[in-house]
């Protein structure tokens, strides 16, 4: 490794994931301030919500700052294949255009995403073997095996001339993860001997006491539980948790049931897992179309949609709208998953729909330990600090409250320095004490249908207003002499009255208001479309306020004849 030159600095820049859940995007920069070289670690998404971002499926970190630094980005390194770490790649790659590095399972899923967006041939994607190495300019990167809730979770040991960063990615300490190796404790201890300058670490479960629990424990509970069920059984879990999927498949076999995969992402992930040699020992599955022919006690459906996502398989089954899967009295749905905060309503709707049909529900709770988290609880965090013994603690991957609590924990554990980053904070790790040296633009972008828009886009504000207030369109035809030829005609969208007659009266009143506003204008003003529009919008708004006490969007179309 080269010696640092006089002006070299090592900096950390989170652009997503620090202060909110999801859309992780972290960057490390090295070199003199005016010629830094960058690597990006992870580039994830979070999901839109109907209430706050209607119509928006995905939310991306805004990479504006790095886009301007594009020439200096040496690579995008992915730690693991969860959406909050890879989901934005196919959307943002055209703006960053840097080579991408990932281990085999992650690469298999990334390839599919790139193919969907027509980028497969364009993006240089290099597969790094597990425990592999990669050198990008001043960054020497070792992939370190950890355990999490997806195959191939990698931490990154990033060595630079100014010290080593231990970027954990998402992890837990699972003594028996079922798939993949256990945490590479020996390597962590060796890294600590060498000296870790900064540990950038998962904060998700910092408020959870004790330890998370193992996938093996879940298998122990789930297998007899499934065996005890009569009727049809549906198990729902996160598809990306391949160990859990394997557990369900094995438990099905043990109970004399043929498994049937339901839902696009379940098929996608199982396909990716098989492509890298996982699930080799799994039982044969049956297609959805054919599962109906099996006796109820001989089938197990493995479904996506544990969070009540309305378009997912499980929600369609709950509503009785699924083409091939029908659950009724005597059947059981097992939720091998947790309730992600914010999804309570959707999940409860699902519960109610199943109960209405007489379907038995089993959820992960004190009695049924059929789910474990993929993130480190407090005792695991303490263990990691004991192994790594970093000079600086930098908590990421959490809301503000998680990150601040994680800083408190690090201080309690005698870590010499700790800093709570916010998205857009440019933090110098070396030389000198850790310090925030600048703030760069950091925000969110929305994937709206097939395009990316700014989060402040007027379109979204209008959409929300349309949803709550409705819309009114006024059209009027005006002659060359500025007399009304036709109209004004009013059409309403999303506005109602108790009965048809009242609605007709309301429309007439709005038309009168619009007409009066036009007539009040001087001849010269009538020649200006904008003036006409402003006057009529104002009049219609005022009348609407009186009629409905609402503030719909009002549009005026002036046709000159
Ligand atoms: Zn993860
Ligand atoms: Zn994550």
């Amino acid at each position: 490794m080269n010696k640092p030159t006089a002006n070299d600095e090592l900096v950390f820049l989170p652009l997503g994931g620090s202060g909110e859940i999801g859309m992780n995007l972290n960057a490390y920069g090295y070199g003199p301030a005016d010629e830094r070289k960058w690597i990006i670690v992870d580039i994830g998404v979070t999901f839109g919500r109907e209430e706050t971002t209607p119509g928006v499926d995905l939310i991306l970190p805004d990479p504006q700052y790095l886009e301007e630094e594009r020439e200096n980005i040496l690579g995008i390194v992915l730690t693991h294949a969860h959406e909050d770490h890879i989901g934005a790649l196919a959307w943002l790659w055209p703006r960053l255009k840097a080579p991408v590095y990932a281990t085999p399972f992650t690469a298999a899923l990334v390839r599919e995403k790139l193919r969907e967006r027509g980028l497969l041939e364009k993006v240089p994607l290099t597969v790094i073997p597990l425990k592999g190495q990669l050198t990008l300019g001043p960054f020497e990167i070792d992939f370190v095996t950890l355990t999490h809730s997806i195959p191939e979770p990698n931490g990154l040991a990033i060595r630079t001339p100014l010290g080593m960063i231990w970027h954990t990615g998402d992890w837990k300490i699972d003594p028996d993860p079922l798939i993949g190796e256990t945490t590479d404790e020996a390597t962590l201890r060796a890294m600590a001997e060498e000296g870790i300058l900064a540990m950038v670490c998962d904060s998700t479960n910092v408020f959870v006491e004790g330890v998370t629990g193992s996938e093996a424990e879940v298998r122990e509970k789930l297998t007899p539980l499934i065996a005890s069920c009569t009727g049809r059984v549906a198990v729902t879990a996160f598809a990306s948790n391949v160990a859990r999927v394997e557990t369900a498949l094995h438990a099905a076999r043990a109970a004399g049931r043929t498994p049937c995969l339901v839902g696009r992402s379940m098929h996608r992930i199982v396909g990716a897992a098989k492509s890298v040699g996982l699930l080799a020992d799994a039982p044969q599955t049956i297609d959805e179309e054919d599962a109906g022919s099996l006796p109820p006690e001989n089938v197990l459906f493995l479904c996506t949609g544990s969070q009540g996502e309305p378009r997912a398989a499980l929600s369609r089954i709950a509503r009785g709208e699924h083409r091939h899967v029908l659950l009724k009295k005597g059947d059981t749905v097992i939720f091998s998953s947790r309730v992600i905060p914010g999804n309570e309503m959707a999940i409860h709707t699902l519960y109610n729909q199943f109960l209405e049909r007489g379907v038995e529900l089993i959820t992960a709770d004190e009695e049924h330990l059929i789910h474990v988290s993929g993130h480190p609880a407090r005792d695991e965090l303490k263990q990691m600090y004991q192994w790594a013994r970093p000079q600086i603690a930098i908590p990421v991957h959490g809301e503000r409250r998680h990150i601040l609590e994680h800083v408190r924990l690090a201080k309690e554990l005698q870590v010499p320095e700790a800093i709570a980053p916010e998205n857009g904070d440019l933090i110098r790790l070396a030389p000198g004490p850790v310090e925030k040296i600048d703030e760069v633009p950091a925000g969110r972008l929305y994937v709206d249908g097939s395009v990316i828009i700014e989060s402040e886009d007027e379109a979204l504000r209008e959409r929300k207003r349309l949803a709550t207030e409705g819309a009114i369109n006024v059209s009027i035809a005006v002659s060359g002499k500025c007399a009304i030829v036709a109209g004004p005609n009013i059409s309403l969208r999303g506005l109602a009255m108790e009965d048809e007659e009242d609605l007709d009266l309301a429309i007439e009143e709005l038309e009168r208001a619009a007409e009066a506003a036009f007539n009040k204008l001087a001849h010269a003003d009538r020649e200006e479309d904008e003036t006409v529009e402003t006057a009529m919008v104002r009049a219609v708004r005022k009348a609407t306020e009186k009629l409905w006490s609402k503030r719909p969007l009002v549009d005026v179309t002036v046709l000159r004849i």
Side-chain angles (χ1 to χ4, degrees):
M1 176 128 346
N2 294 332
K3 290 252 174 299
T5 58
N7 294 325
D8 279 1
E9 287 178 333
L10 173 60
V11 296
F12 170 62
L13 171 64
L15 285 182
S18 288
E20 82 243 294
I21 299 284
M23 53 174 241
N24 297 286
L25 197 171
N26 296 297
Y28 295 96
Y30 189 91
D34 50 356
E35 45 187 289
R36 282 192 191 109
K37 297 290 178 197
W38 294 93
I39 56 168
I40 296 174
V41 177
D42 291 337
I43 182 157
V45 290
T46 191
F47 298 98
R49 285 190 185 283
E50 212 44 58
E51 315 85 72
T52 48
T53 53
V56 173
D57 290 332
L58 296 176
I59 301 177
L60 318 172
D62 187 345
Q64 185 195 329
Y65 179 80
L66 291 170
E67 213 175 321
E68 284 157 20
E69 288 283 318
R70 186 157 83 192
E71 301 302 313
N72 298 313
I73 302 174
L74 303 172
I76 301 171
V77 186
L78 305 174
T79 61
H80 67 291
H82 275 147
E83 289 293 329
D84 61 326
H85 297 259
I86 66 165
L89 180 72
W91 292 98
L92 297 182
W93 189 85
R95 301 182 184 211
L96 301 168
K97 294 205 166 76
V100 180
Y101 303 89
T103 54
F105 176 75
T106 306
L109 287 168
V110 162
R111 255 185 238 114
E112 268 193 56
K113 286 180 175 294
L114 295 175
R115 189 178 298 125
E116 274 170 21
R117 305 238 1 110
L119 287 170
L120 189 57
E121 307 301 322
K122 297 201 180 98
V123 177
L125 170 61
T126 304
V127 178
I128 305 290
L130 292 174
K131 301 191 176 182
Q133 285 176 328
L134 169 68
T135 299
L136 296 172
F139 302 95
E140 286 177 15
I141 304 166
D142 278 6
F143 286 66
V144 180
T145 299
L146 297 176
T147 53
H148 183 37
S149 46
I150 192 167
E152 300 182 3
N154 300 288
L156 303 176
I158 305 170
R159 291 176 177 84
T160 76
L162 280 169
M164 191 204 306
I165 298 150
W166 168 225
H167 182 102
T168 66
D170 294 2
W171 62 280
K172 69 191 271 189
I173 300 173
D174 192 333
D176 190 358
L178 301 179
I179 284 184
E181 292 181 24
T182 52
T183 307
D184 188 352
E185 193 184 322
T187 296
L188 285 171
R189 288 184 192 277
M191 283 159 52
E193 275 313 303
E194 192 184 329
I196 293 174
L197 172 68
M199 177 162 104
V200 177
C201 181
D202 185 349
S203 309
T204 313
N205 279 350
V206 68
F207 289 107
V208 179
E209 294 294 338
V211 297
T212 303
S214 169
E215 280 299 325
E217 291 172 56
V218 174
R219 186 167 294 186
E220 244 167 65
K221 302 284 185 215
L222 209 50
T223 307
L225 185 66
I226 288 171
S228 73
C229 291
T230 53
R232 291 177 193 82
V233 173
V235 175
T236 181
F238 295 108
S240 56
N241 190 335
V242 176
R244 195 72 56 82
V245 167
E246 190 188 70
T247 291
L249 295 174
H250 283 244
R253 178 160 54 195
R257 294 173 180 269
T258 304
C260 170
L261 306 180
V262 191
R264 208 172 76 95
S265 62
M266 196 58 84
H267 284 280
R268 194 167 53 85
I269 304 258
V270 167
K274 288 189 168 167
S275 79
V276 297
L278 301 174
L279 297 177
D281 181 35
Q284 197 65 37
T285 56
I286 189 169
D287 288 345
E288 277 176 27
E289 296 83 352
D290 306 324
S293 63
L294 289 174
E297 64 280 9
N298 292 130
V299 64
L300 180 138
F301 298 104
L302 185 51
C303 309
T304 54
S306 66
Q307 299 305 306
E309 304 92 324
R311 280 173 293 178
L314 198 65
S315 286
R316 284 184 286 134
I317 297 170
R319 293 194 300 263
E321 288 170 5
H322 199 279
R323 278 208 296 165
H324 303 293
V325 185
L326 181 70
L327 295 184
K328 42 193 179 196
K329 196 169 163 55
D331 299 338
T332 307
V333 178
I334 299 173
F335 286 79
S336 181
S337 56
R338 74 177 182 116
V339 176
I340 293 181
N343 296 341
E344 292 87 350
M345 290 265 279
I347 294 172
H348 292 167
T349 302
L350 206 60
Y351 291 171
N352 291 327
Q353 285 165 335
F354 277 124
L355 291 169
E356 192 68 30
R357 316 176 138 260
V359 174
E360 193 98 19
L361 300 181
I362 300 173
T363 55
D365 55 21
E366 311 276 288
E367 192 195 336
H368 299 105
L369 297 168
I370 52 173
H371 176 70
V372 290
S373 167
H375 299 276
R378 244 175 138 81
D379 285 354
E380 291 158 272
L381 284 167
K382 288 178 188 166
Q383 176 67 74
M384 181 59 84
Y385 278 101
Q386 276 167 19
W387 280 331
R389 304 196 310 271
Q391 168 69 25
I392 307 165
I394 306 182
V396 293
H397 206 289
E399 297 167 23
R400 199 69 190 142
R401 63 195 178 98
H402 297 104
I403 286 175
L404 292 172
E405 177 62 21
H406 191 160
V407 163
R408 260 195 296 276
L409 176 69
K411 286 187 175 153
E412 206 180 289
L413 297 171
Q414 317 296 330
V415 179
E417 297 172 75
I419 191 164
E422 283 185 77
N423 294 332
D425 285 356
L426 187 68
I427 294 167
R428 184 170 55 214
L429 305 177
V434 65
E435 192 186 357
K436 173 173 156 180
I437 53 172
D438 202 356
E439 256 173 53
V440 311
R444 303 171 143 217
L445 297 174
Y446 294 154
V447 176
D448 190 32
S450 58
V451 301
I452 297 179
I453 62 171
E454 304 269 333
S455 58
E456 306 83 50
D457 200 296
E458 180 61 27
L460 213 72
R461 266 202 296 275
E462 277 192 359
R463 192 177 299 168
K464 283 189 212 168
R465 195 151 151 209
L466 274 171
T468 55
E469 305 292 313
I472 296 178
N473 198 286
V474 189
S475 48
I476 185 168
V478 180
S479 73
K481 288 179 180 163
C482 290
I484 297 177
V485 180
N489 286 328
I490 297 276
S491 65
L492 304 179
R493 288 279 176 269
L495 283 160
M497 285 251 168
E498 215 167 323
D499 58 51
E500 202 79 357
E501 213 171 302
D502 287 347
L503 196 62
D504 288 342
L505 288 172
I507 289 172
E508 276 169 32
E509 197 166 328
L510 292 179
E511 285 172 348
R512 272 199 301 278
E515 188 173 351
F518 181 87
N519 288 336
K520 236 190 262 169
L521 292 171
H523 190 275
D525 288 337
R526 291 183 192 181
E527 281 177 348
E528 301 293 328
D529 282 359
E530 219 182 297
T531 318
V532 174
E533 281 164 25
T534 311
M536 290 174 76
V537 164
R538 203 171 287 153
V540 170
R541 272 205 188 127
K542 210 168 145 197
T544 311
E545 181 87 54
K546 241 197 233 151
L547 285 161
W548 275 279
S549 304
K550 289 186 80 79
R551 293 184 46 76
L553 290 171
V554 180
D555 270 323
V556 174
T557 313
V558 182
L559 266 165
R560 300 279 175 187
I561 292 170

